[in-house]
Amino acid sequence: MNVKEMEQAFRDYVRTILHYQETVALIDWDLHTGAPKKGRSQRAEVLGTMAEKAFEMMTSPRMKEFLDALSDPGVEIQLTPVTRKTLAYYKKEYERNHKIPADRYREFTVVTSKAGQVWEEAKEKDEFSLFQPYLQQVVDFQKEFLQYWGYKQHPYDTLLDHYEPDMTVEILDRVFGELREDLVRLLNEIQESPHKPRTDFIFQKFDKHGQEAFHYVVLKAMGYDFEAGRLDETIHPFATDLNPWDVRITTKYDEYDFRTSVFGTIHEGGHALYEQNISPNLAGTPLHKGTSMGIHESQSLFWENIVARNRHFWTYFYPHLKQYSPQQFEGVSPDEFYLGINVVQPSLIRIEADELTYALHVMVRYEIEKGLITDEIRVGDLPGIWNDLMNEYLGVRPPTDREGVLQDVHWSAGDFGYFPSYALGYIYSAQLKYAMDKDLPNFNDLLSEGDLHPIRRWLTDNVHQYGRLKKPAEILMDTTGEEINSFYLVDYLKKKYREVYKL
Amino acid sequence: MNVKEMEQAFRDYVRTILHYQETVALIDWDLHTGAPKKGRSQRAEVLGTMAEKAFEMMTSPRMKEFLDALSDPGVEIQLTPVTRKTLAYYKKEYERNHKIPADRYREFTVVTSKAGQVWEEAKEKDEFSLFQPYLQQVVDFQKEFLQYWGYKQHPYDTLLDHYEPDMTVEILDRVFGELREDLVRLLNEIQESPHKPRTDFIFQKFDKHGQEAFHYVVLKAMGYDFEAGRLDETIHPFATDLNPWDVRITTKYDEYDFRTSVFGTIHEGGHALYEQNISPNLAGTPLHKGTSMGIHESQSLFWENIVARNRHFWTYFYPHLKQYSPQQFEGVSPDEFYLGINVVQPSLIRIEADELTYALHVMVRYEIEKGLITDEIRVGDLPGIWNDLMNEYLGVRPPTDREGVLQDVHWSAGDFGYFPSYALGYIYSAQLKYAMDKDLPNFNDLLSEGDLHPIRRWLTDNVHQYGRLKKPAEILMDTTGEEINSFYLVDYLKKKYREVYKL
């Protein structure tokens, strides 16, 4: 085989892996939207077969042959840059997966599967002690795996890198530290404000078909391509890129709180726009994918918060929204509406948090994960530590573990290192906005006119199109001229909330 | 490996094949219901990968090892009956597929793919000559394949056997011959009748959501389990058994002819009931599947015609239907409604034919397929032969080939031997009804009361539950005590249509 043939064989092999992954994504979408109840457990087995097959192909001797042969310097130099990046991607995946002995990995999947079930039960019964031994095993596995994987500075860096390439504890400690101080100060100011936005109109009945009709208006204005996607209902909203031309959104409806689906849909729409606007020339490779969890989250949060919680956005869209539930908004001025949807209230549950307090929830988890990995925190002490941190950061103390340490599924699945991405998304999005302002000084006017295309185009030009070609830090540097910096998020939040709360 | 282990390994291997097939079915369902337009061609590639993989596993050296090892008489005797039947199933498939040289099969798929495209174009342009050379190639392939496959009496028997195990030209010539004579005579009588049922109310607007709501009422009454299925909209209606607990129905809506979706949904519902009621003990094997195309069609037609075109069915359901489109049926008596939905009219298009003329359309195709395979008919003569046969059987002559020989997709795909199943379904369904009458002499009363469960249960007891455990002829013999016999269909049609047309 000459180099061209070898390259082609590798690309074909990769395409088949992607076919399996597309299958997994479709099955998963179906399971979460309309798959009939009784057929689901059988379908889950099929999903397992397909996911295993994709994993097998990524870790197979055949893959190893490709990686070795194509990494030969004399060969690699002849590959197209896309193939080289694809090669690098699979090399990293291969090494990550191969360093763990197969029997230990199998054992880990058994433990997490069991831990997931027990977590559900523990949460329902509000009994952390049930979950504790399983969480201990999951944490022990993380530490064991870290020995195989190795690390440079801090063991947690390696976990972070899985979700946010090149992110480190050193960076996060600094950035989160600064951010936390500023957020807590701002939050305290707000809580002392005598001004409390009116929110009564939020909790009135808004027919879900009306909400859905509004979503179509907004998503189209955002530039979401319905010929390359669709919107469905689900319990836990998500966006999923089945393939470059099929990026679906799901949303959850609450007929007595339209915010759930309105902001949820825009959030998922932001994820979907990212995937819909990656360069089509990367299709058929793993590079056609958002570059990290944090950058992905920066896109969803940009649309959800920076665009859709902006006063000017509603100048245009509030009249549209009203059409679908006229009674509800009768006598609610645009100003009242804007203030109402931006109410800040420290709460116990992360996924219900507002844009100001959300990052604080994440930091609680970050500190705990770090501590567990370095043995500075013991699993048995978690409920107390959790509650203390919540009190310290947010000024609220969970009355139950169900509303505290047991609220998230992530740890039972062994997803350590994931949580920080959420907060990174907030920070990145504000940095991107600062850079965007230079190119689109008329940002607010665009919103007022409902003309969102220049915004979407800017994000495509600066972020979307590259897919995995650029790492998160490169995106940031190329776009904003600097490294991660929480100043912009704080500045954005201060300006906004000092106005909302008349501070 | 001892026998038990070998049996288990084989069953696991089979289960994985079924996982691939389930994946194919889900992708196919999605492509035909809501998959976004732009993502479809990529998805079709994924479907191809999965279908190929299932095919590979069925024809692999590993499969051959299983078949050989388990067929050893000393081994086979130790297998469970279900494994033995599963083994027999894959043996037949393996042999069928292995007799054709791989390069010839590949060439055939290329030809049919091209033929499909050209057929579409030829149909659109109404130019048979465009399609002719491709159809010639497809026919030549059929004849070549028959040389590899071999045959006992008539070469067409082998093609029939793919869809209707053990069916032969000898049987069909006799049965179709008798049936055709009787149908043509009855049709002539009807056409001379001065009575023409009123049909004006059919073509009025019936909102599709109203139609859909009615389908839920009927499907539930039929016993269709919505927790193990769902109903969606599509262009070409179908039922699909993704797995034993997920059997989906799709339907097509025509807001100016409710018959399309009402009878279409009940038809697909009949297919779905079959798959939903196969013994769950056959799950995880290819035996959990309707036993033949003909028996499957007997189930859909039983519900569509024998149940839902029965006067008594509408005693109960007409008031329900009316609710969803009250204006349309104002002043339309139950009797007028019944006569209207049973109007008989020879027409050019098979898929629009009524229950009396449908089988005649099939027979035109049967005679032509037989003739093409035995060289008694030349491809170039098809348009004329088609039109002559239509005129002879149905008394209508297609003015264009688009409405004649070019109307069906089947031949372009190489699906020779499939068409007879449709007519067999009619014949079987009437035979089953005759047998059912002995156990449920109150059949009409049950319909009038909307109590369809005893009917569904009878079909489950006699047909559904066996899946592929019984061959079509066994189902018929065990249930009716005789072989295929067109008398019952003719008897049913005569009694019914002599009343409808007051002959």
Side-chain angles (χ1 to χ4, degrees), chain A residues 15-16 18-20 22-23 26-27 29-30 33-40 42-43 45-47 49-50 53 225-230 242-248, chain B residues 15-16 18-20 22-23 26-27 29-30 33-40 42-43 45-47 49-50 53 225-230 242-248:
Chain A
R15 200 167 286 115
T16 304
L18 296 175
H19 284 189
Y20 280 103
E22 180 164 346
T23 297
L26 177 65
I27 297 175
W29 171 84
D30 185 64
T33 51
K37 203 172 122 182
K38 292 181 184 168
R40 284 183 208 159
Q42 159 68 17
R43 183 69 34 76
E45 279 185 38
V46 176
L47 189 147
T49 298
M50 298 299 145
K53 187 72 197 171
D225 183 353
F226 274 98
E227 290 197 346
R230 49 180 288 165
L242 288 84
N243 71 44
W245 306 277
D246 187 353
V247 183
R248 305 184 183 189
Chain B
R15 200 168 285 113
T16 304
L18 296 175
H19 285 188
Y20 280 104
E22 181 163 345
T23 297
L26 178 66
I27 295 174
W29 171 84
D30 186 64
T33 51
K37 203 172 121 183
K38 292 181 183 168
R40 284 184 209 159
Q42 159 69 16
R43 183 70 33 74
E45 279 186 38
V46 176
L47 188 146
T49 299
M50 298 300 145
K53 188 72 196 171
D225 184 352
F226 273 98
E227 290 197 345
R230 51 180 287 164
L242 290 84
N243 71 42
W245 306 276
D246 186 353
V247 182
R248 304 182 183 190

Side-chain angles (χ1 to χ4, degrees), chain B residues 459-476:
Chain B
L459 292 169
T460 294
D461 290 346
N462 288 280
V463 182
H464 302 163
Q465 62 167 331
Y466 298 105
R468 275 184 177 136
L469 284 182
K470 288 187 182 181
K471 290 193 170 181
E474 287 176 82
I475 296 265
L476 220 54

Side-chain angles (χ1 to χ4, degrees), chain A residues 261-432:
Chain A
S261 87
V262 166
F263 293 103
T265 302
I266 295 171
H267 179 99
E268 301 307 334
H271 282 304
L273 284 183
Y274 191 175
E275 296 291 338
Q276 281 192 338
N277 291 292
I278 295 170
S279 167
N281 298 315
L282 299 177
T285 80
L287 309 175
H288 195 291
K289 189 94 186 169
T291 193
S292 73
M293 296 306 305
I295 296 290
H296 234 303
E297 208 62 18
S298 81
Q299 296 308 296
S300 52
L301 292 169
F302 193 95
W303 288 97
E304 178 189 351
N305 292 328
I306 293 180
V307 172
R309 291 193 208 267
N310 180 308
R311 181 189 290 275
H312 303 275
F313 177 83
W314 292 104
T315 303
Y316 183 84
F317 286 102
Y318 185 43
H320 280 94
L321 184 73
K322 272 163 120 170
Q323 277 181 23
Y324 299 104
S325 194
Q327 276 194 307
Q328 173 170 20
F329 300 111
E330 209 175 280
V332 181
S333 73
D335 190 57
E336 285 173 318
F337 180 84
Y338 169 70
L339 298 177
I341 60 163
N342 279 296
V343 71
V344 167
Q345 181 61 53
S347 65
L348 301 170
I349 308 296
R350 174 182 60 84
I351 58 167
E352 294 167 6
D354 52 68
E355 71 171 325
L356 199 147
T357 57
Y358 191 98
L360 296 169
H361 288 265
V362 169
M363 292 173 199
V364 168
R365 289 149 180 82
Y366 169 65
E367 292 301 329
I368 289 175
E369 289 191 354
K370 233 179 9 173
L372 287 171
I373 294 304
T374 54
D375 288 327
E376 284 159 50
I377 293 178
R378 294 185 330 149
V379 171
D381 297 334
L382 272 191
I385 291 173
W386 179 285
N387 295 348
D388 290 346
L389 283 168
M390 282 298 287
N391 193 37
E392 184 184 340
Y393 294 178
L394 282 130
V396 292
R397 178 174 281 276
T400 67
D401 289 337
R402 183 194 294 156
E403 296 158 284
V405 69
L406 287 174
Q407 70 183 265
D408 294 309
V409 69
H410 303 57
W411 291 342
S412 71
D415 290 337
F416 284 75
Y418 187 138
F419 278 121
S421 315
Y422 294 121
L424 289 171
Y426 278 90
I427 298 168
Y428 293 157
S429 69
Q431 281 190 264
L432 291 173

Side-chain angles (χ1 to χ4, degrees), chain B residues 98 112 345 433:
Chain B
H98 262 270
T112 50
Q345 181 63 53
K433 172 58 167 45

Side-chain angles (χ1 to χ4, degrees), chain B residues 212-442:
Chain B
E212 189 188 9
F214 178 71
H215 300 333
Y216 280 86
V217 173
V218 176
L219 287 170
K220 279 179 191 160
M222 287 167 64
Y224 177 75
D225 184 352
F226 273 98
E227 290 197 345
R230 51 180 287 164
L231 173 65
D232 292 271
E233 184 175 355
T234 189
I235 296 171
H236 299 290
F238 61 92
T240 176
D241 51 307
L242 290 84
N243 71 42
W245 306 276
D246 186 353
V247 182
R248 304 182 183 190
I249 298 172
T250 69
T251 196
K252 178 187 172 181
Y253 293 96
D254 180 342
E255 292 201 316
Y256 291 92
D257 189 345
F258 65 86
R259 294 176 307 179
T260 300
S261 88
V262 166
F263 293 103
T265 303
I266 295 171
H267 180 99
E268 300 308 333
H271 282 304
L273 285 183
Y274 191 176
E275 296 292 337
Q276 281 192 337
N277 290 292
I278 295 170
S279 167
N281 297 317
L282 299 177
T285 79
L287 310 176
H288 196 291
K289 190 92 184 171
T291 193
S292 75
M293 296 306 305
I295 296 290
H296 233 305
E297 207 63 18
S298 80
Q299 296 308 295
S300 53
L301 292 169
F302 193 96
W303 288 97
E304 178 189 351
N305 293 326
I306 293 181
V307 171
R309 290 193 209 267
N310 179 308
R311 182 188 290 274
H312 303 276
F313 177 84
W314 292 104
T315 303
Y316 183 86
F317 287 101
Y318 184 42
H320 280 93
L321 183 74
K322 272 163 119 171
Q323 277 181 24
Y324 299 105
S325 194
Q327 276 194 306
Q328 173 170 20
F329 300 109
E330 210 176 278
V332 180
S333 73
D335 191 55
E336 286 174 318
F337 180 84
Y338 168 69
L339 298 177
I341 60 164
N342 278 297
V343 70
V344 168
Q345 181 63 53
S347 64
L348 300 170
I349 308 298
R350 176 182 59 85
I351 59 167
E352 294 168 4
D354 51 68
E355 70 171 324
L356 199 147
T357 58
Y358 192 97
L360 295 169
H361 287 265
V362 170
M363 291 175 202
V364 168
R365 289 149 179 84
Y366 170 64
E367 292 301 330
I368 288 175
E369 290 192 354
K370 232 179 13 170
L372 287 170
I373 294 304
T374 55
D375 288 327
E376 284 159 50
I377 293 178
R378 294 185 330 152
V379 171
D381 297 334
L382 273 190
I385 290 174
W386 180 284
N387 295 349
D388 289 347
L389 283 170
M390 283 297 288
N391 193 37
E392 184 186 340
Y393 295 179
L394 283 130
V396 291
R397 178 173 281 275
T400 65
D401 289 338
R402 184 193 292 154
E403 295 159 284
V405 68
L406 287 173
Q407 70 183 267
D408 295 309
V409 69
H410 303 57
W411 291 343
S412 72
D415 290 338
F416 284 75
Y418 187 139
F419 278 121
S421 316
Y422 294 122
L424 289 172
Y426 278 91
I427 298 168
Y428 293 156
S429 69
Q431 281 190 262
L432 292 172
K433 172 58 167 45
Y434 185 81
M436 186 187 282
D437 279 340
K438 292 179 192 151
D439 297 324
L440 300 176
N442 58 335

